[in-house]
């Protein structure tokens, strides 16, 4: 099986080999020559590659060559595959233009380089230079399967999304072990303030720039500005209680959530181990069961992509009954959040949006699913105090459950290219709340995650290979 093979051999390497069953060896030994490999391919998925990459007697021992009638007949099979597969947009490749057609494991052999490029990206993003930020983000998302050195850097320039400018930065990194521009960015006071400000939940680059422009520089400045002292998070919990459902679905995060984000910023900066993600999921589902039976859920986000530690928890919830499930899920978001809040598990609601009818023209980037962005804290037990965690709850009708799971599994770049692929290659629109055919707005209802990929004519990519971002 492909999955088993991939535990030992990278798929991109496997594709350059002939992987056969032991029978090939026996039959070759019996017939005294290397037989064509195609029909011995160990993996159906690699039939073509195995046939194509089969070693022949010539490549192994040129002294023994000499065609005879039997090799000729065998050769017929290899003949049709002797030419390398055309560089088309089908098939997973590490140099594919779309991130949703590349394998991106969690661990990257060029981590140091990628971290430097991420500083450039961050700087552009903070300054509102979105196109530049995106091109660095794209460069980061292209996996080069080996550590880049001066010997193979020429191959890097052939990769998609690596233009001249980025190539020269990579060159600089290879030569000097760092990129000089990164050094000056890191030393820049404005950059430091903007980075600090945007670590606060609820503050994005443009708010951060406005705060900076009004003279604020440090967390202390922000605390004064928003009238928050770091130790008052319980008070904020209280003041937020009458207001907690008021968050506007259109204006994004309200002022209140910046206050909460600021008061809890140190707790939010602590990453969440997998075991606690699971514990929080269990606690949520436990309450969900009491208000609605027959629900299903998936922990999405970085957890699903195999990350050891997450910054938040993303849970997609639906109902197993395809017929009545839609109605069962409607309004459930607010109901569950209220229950979790009453139980003291959810301490703050940063944003709560209700279901909007699926809109094929979808002009906003928000999907139409019900969702709540909340703050969650496990009850303390055995003297162990838990910290506040960010918890996103997403509710999907059964027919769009799998698109929601795909949409919330990420990573960001993977999702971006999935949408682009759907639009440019498939004439469809993809987002978490559904797949639509563009010309007649026909909706598709995939019954599994695999079906989402099939509908979009994408090859299956395991969630753990969707880590296209840093
Ligand atoms: P971590 O939480 O550890 O930082 P993550 O990949 O889980 O990593 P999130 O910000 O939780 O990051 O987002 C998870 C995925 O959910 C993203 O990849 C994105 O595609 C999707 N997502 C996040 N916010 C929204 C949103 N408002 N609407 C639609 N999809 C979203
Ligand atoms: Mg997450
Ligand atoms: Mn999230």
């Amino acid at each position: 099986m492909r999955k088993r093979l991939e535990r030992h051999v990278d798929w991109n390497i496997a594709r350059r080999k002939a992987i056969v069953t032991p029978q090939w060896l026996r039959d070759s030994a019996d017939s005294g020559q290397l037989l064509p490999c195609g029909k011995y391919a160990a993996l159906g998925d690699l039939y073509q590659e195995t046939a194509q990459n089969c070693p022949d007697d010539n490549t192994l021992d040129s002294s023994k060559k000499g065609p005879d009638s039997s090799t000729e007949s065998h050769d017929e099979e290899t003949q049709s595959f002797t030419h390398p597969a055309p560089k088309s947009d089908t098939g997973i490749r590490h140099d594919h233009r779309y991130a949703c057609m590349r394998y991106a494991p969690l661990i990257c052999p060029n981590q140091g380089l990628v971290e430097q490029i991420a500083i450039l990206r961050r700087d552009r993003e903070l300054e509102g230079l979105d196109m530049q930020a995106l091109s660095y983000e794209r460069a980061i998302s292209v996996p080069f399967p080996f550590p880049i050195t001066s010997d193979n850097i020429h191959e890097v320039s052939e990769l998609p999304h690596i233009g001249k400018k980025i190539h020269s930065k990579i060159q600089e990194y290879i030569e000097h072990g760092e990129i000089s521009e990164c050094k000056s960015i890191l030393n820049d006071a404005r950059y430091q303030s903007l980075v600090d400000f945007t670590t606060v939940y609820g503050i994005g680059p443009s708010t951060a720039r406005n705060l900076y422009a009004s003279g604020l520089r440090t967390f202390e400045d922000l605390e004064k500005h928003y009238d928050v002292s770091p130790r008052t998070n319980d008070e904020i919990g209280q003041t937020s209680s009458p207001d907690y459902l008021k968050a506007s679905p259109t204006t994004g995060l309200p002022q209140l959530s910046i206050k909460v984000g600021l008061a809890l910023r140190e707790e939010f900066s602590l990453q969440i181990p997998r075991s606690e993600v699971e514990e929080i999921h269990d606690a949520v589902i436990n309450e969900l069961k009491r208000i609605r039976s027959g629900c299903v859920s998936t922990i999405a986000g970085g957890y699903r992509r195999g990350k050891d530690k997450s910054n938040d928890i993303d849970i997609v919830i639906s109902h197993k009954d395809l017929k009545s499930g839609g109605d069962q899920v409607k309004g459930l978001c607010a109901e569950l959040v209220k229950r979790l809040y009453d139980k003291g598990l959810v301490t703050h609601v940063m944003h709560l949006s209700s279901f909007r009818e699926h809109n094929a023209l979808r002009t906003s980037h928000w999907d139409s699913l019900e969702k709540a962005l909340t703050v969650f804290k496990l009850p303390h037990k055995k003297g162990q105090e838990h910290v506040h965690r960010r918890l996103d709850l997403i509710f999907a009708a059964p027919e769009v459950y799998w698109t929601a799971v795909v949409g919330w599994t990420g990573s960001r770049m993977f999702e971006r290219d999935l949408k682009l692929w759907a639009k440019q290659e498939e004439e469809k629109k993809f987002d978490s709340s559904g797949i639509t055919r563009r010309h007649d707005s026909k909706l598709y209802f995939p019954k599994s995650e695999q079906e989402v990929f099939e509908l979009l004519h994408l090859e299956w990519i395991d969630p753990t290979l969707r880590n296209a971002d840093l």
Side-chain angles (χ1 to χ4, degrees):
M1 278 172 66
R2 174 170 177 167
K3 259 198 183 145
R4 264 179 73 188
L5 178 80
E6 283 190 288
R7 277 190 228 144
H8 308 283
V9 186
D10 182 274
W11 190 249
N12 287 317
I13 293 171
R15 288 173 55 124
R16 285 185 241 135
K17 311 276 179 199
I19 300 182
V20 293
T21 61
Q23 198 56 40
W24 174 83
L25 193 56
R26 290 186 203 110
D27 290 356
S28 291
D30 286 349
S31 69
Q33 61 187 323
L34 301 180
L35 295 176
C37 300
K39 68 174 181 183
Y40 299 97
L43 275 86
D45 283 354
L46 285 179
Y47 172 81
Q48 189 164 332
E49 288 82 354
T50 296
Q52 201 172 295
N53 299 323
C54 188
D56 52 29
D57 279 353
N58 301 353
T59 51
L60 292 187
D61 185 350
S62 54
S63 68
K64 273 196 195 154
K65 72 171 181 222
D68 62 36
S69 56
S70 66
T71 45
E72 256 165 30
S73 66
H74 283 306
D75 272 345
E76 266 172 54
E77 187 187 309
T78 21
Q79 275 302 306
S80 52
F81 296 115
T82 24
H83 299 290
K87 260 202 163 187
S88 71
D89 273 341
T90 55
I92 306 265
R93 287 200 326 258
H94 79 274
D95 58 351
H96 204 288
R97 206 150 54 91
Y98 293 95
C100 55
M101 281 296 244
R102 303 192 289 258
Y103 287 146
L106 262 176
I107 295 159
C108 151
N110 293 289
Q111 193 67 18
L113 168 63
V114 165
E115 279 168 14
Q116 291 263 296
I117 299 179
I119 295 169
L120 303 174
R121 184 196 70 80
R122 191 81 200 273
D123 176 66
R124 307 306 191 262
E125 177 186 59
L126 290 169
E127 295 302 348
L129 303 168
D130 293 346
M131 294 312 285
Q132 288 186 33
L134 181 60
S135 61
Y136 284 119
E137 196 170 342
R138 286 201 177 284
I140 289 169
S141 75
V142 180
F144 194 67
F146 316 103
I148 301 173
T149 63
S150 48
D151 295 331
N152 60 22
I153 187 162
H154 60 279
E155 289 178 45
V156 174
S157 49
E158 289 160 23
L159 295 174
H161 311 302
I162 309 284
K164 273 208 185 95
K165 199 162 167 192
I166 292 170
H167 193 266
S168 74
K169 302 279 182 201
I170 299 175
Q171 186 88 44
E172 189 187 344
Y173 181 82
I174 301 302
E175 281 166 27
H176 305 286
E178 62 180 356
I179 298 170
S180 60
E181 194 192 345
C182 294
K183 216 173 181 176
S184 43
I185 290 175
L186 291 175
N187 285 325
D188 181 50
R190 175 178 162 92
Y191 176 81
Q192 290 166 7
S193 292
L194 295 180
V195 165
D196 282 353
F197 293 179
T198 49
T199 58
V200 175
Y201 186 34
I203 299 183
S206 116
T207 309
R209 288 195 301 272
N210 289 338
L211 294 167
Y212 190 90
S214 56
L216 310 181
R217 297 289 179 271
T218 63
F219 285 126
E220 291 71 45
D221 295 345
L222 288 191
E223 280 161 9
K224 256 184 242 146
H225 178 81
Y226 286 105
D227 192 21
V228 173
S229 99
R231 273 168 244 303
T232 56
N233 58 49
D234 289 335
E235 286 166 39
I236 286 175
Q238 274 163 22
T239 53
S240 72
S241 71
D243 284 343
Y244 83 98
L245 288 175
K246 281 197 195 152
S248 147
T250 46
T251 56
L253 298 163
Q255 189 86 340
L256 169 69
S257 59
I258 295 183
K259 273 180 112 145
V260 177
L262 200 50
L264 295 175
R265 83 187 143 81
E266 279 173 15
E267 291 187 37
F268 287 165
S269 72
L270 303 170
Q271 293 202 300
I272 318 165
R274 296 181 71 81
S275 58
E276 191 178 335
V277 172
E278 287 153 18
E279 224 179 305
I280 291 176
H281 172 254
D282 290 348
V284 169
I285 298 311
N286 200 25
E287 296 305 324
L288 177 63
K289 271 191 210 144
R290 288 163 207 247
I291 49 176
R292 192 79 82 258
S293 59
C295 285
V296 289
S297 68
T298 298
I299 311 175
Y303 171 90
R304 191 151 185 266
R305 300 197 310 277
K307 274 170 73 171
D308 265 346
K309 297 197 161 178
S310 304
N311 295 307
D312 75 348
I313 302 131
D314 309 284
I315 304 179
V316 181
I317 294 169
S318 185
H319 197 276
K320 63 177 179 219
D321 186 352
L322 250 178
K323 280 218 183 76
S324 73
D327 292 334
Q328 308 247 24
V329 167
K330 215 167 194 165
L332 191 54
C333 179
E335 216 179 312
L336 177 66
V337 168
K338 178 159 186 350
R339 183 174 175 100
L340 294 170
Y341 188 83
D342 291 344
K343 293 266 162 184
L345 293 168
V346 159
T347 59
H348 308 82
V349 182
M350 313 294 255
H351 173 98
L352 188 96
S353 69
S354 56
F355 179 82
R356 277 174 281 141
E357 288 304 322
H358 191 96
N359 165 16
L361 295 172
R362 276 169 282 159
T363 39
S364 106
H365 71 279
W366 283 93
D367 55 53
S368 57
L369 302 171
E370 284 188 9
K371 56 185 153 306
L373 315 186
T374 72
V375 180
F376 188 99
K377 194 174 166 201
L378 282 166
H380 64 273
K381 60 167 187 238
K382 293 183 214 137
Q384 192 196 358
E385 182 72 29
H386 288 282
V387 297
H388 290 87
R389 303 299 197 182
R390 291 188 284 125
L391 167 70
D392 295 345
L393 299 170
I394 300 96
F395 291 77
E399 61 270 23
V400 295
Y401 180 48
W402 291 109
T403 54
V405 169
V406 171
W408 281 81
T409 294
S411 68
R412 260 174 33 173
M413 198 63 220
F414 185 91
E415 299 296 336
R416 184 185 270 280
D417 276 2
L418 193 60
K419 286 182 185 156
L420 201 62
W421 168 276
K423 182 177 170 190
Q424 295 187 336
E425 310 291 328
E426 292 287 316
E427 296 276 309
K428 292 186 182 104
K429 184 150 193 152
F430 172 88
D431 79 24
S432 298
S433 51
I435 300 174
T436 335
R437 190 158 67 191
R438 291 174 80 83
H439 74 91
D440 60 359
S441 302
K442 176 184 152 69
L443 287 163
Y444 295 87
F445 300 126
K447 285 185 276 306
S448 67
E449 188 173 27
Q450 277 77 7
E451 236 183 271
V452 174
F453 281 72
E454 281 163 23
L455 270 174
L456 295 171
H457 299 104
L458 286 166
E459 282 190 45
W460 169 251
I461 296 190
D462 190 79
T464 56
L465 292 171
R466 298 181 205 164
N467 290 289
D469 298 74
L470 181 62

